[in-house]
Amino acid sequence: MTEEEMRKRLEALRIEHRDLDTAIDALTAGGSGDQLQIARLKKRKLKLKDQIAIIEDYLIPDIIA
């Protein structure tokens, strides 16, 4: 995977992460009470966060000062 492809993937993951955040907020605000669905969305959101962190770590190397 090239750096450009990784940046595109990173942006797609960030968008999906934001969308999940919006969906979770809508479900909790709507009082639907579907706790299982909310839990699944939160779990997916955490997985996305981990994937985002992995790609960011690869793209932004640590600088030893």
Side-chain angles (χ1 to χ4, degrees):
M1 188 178 256
T2 67
E3 186 174 328
E4 184 176 333
E5 290 172 332
M6 291 182 84
R7 290 189 189 282
K8 288 180 182 179
R9 175 74 177 143
L10 181 61
E11 185 59 31
L13 290 173
R14 285 179 176 158
I15 291 170
E16 187 176 353
H17 188 268
R18 270 192 306 262
D19 290 347
L20 282 173
D21 200 28
T22 303
I24 291 168
D25 288 344
L27 283 173
T28 55
S32 68
D34 190 0
Q35 295 301 317
L36 183 59
Q37 180 67 21
I38 292 170
R40 286 179 180 155
L41 292 175
K42 286 183 177 182
K43 188 174 183 178
R44 174 71 180 142
K45 188 177 165 191
L46 285 174
K47 286 181 181 181
L48 288 173
K49 185 178 178 183
D50 290 342
Q51 290 176 353
I52 289 168
I54 290 169
I55 293 174
E56 284 177 339
D57 286 345
Y58 181 79
L59 291 175
I60 304 167
D62 291 337
I63 298 174
I64 299 173

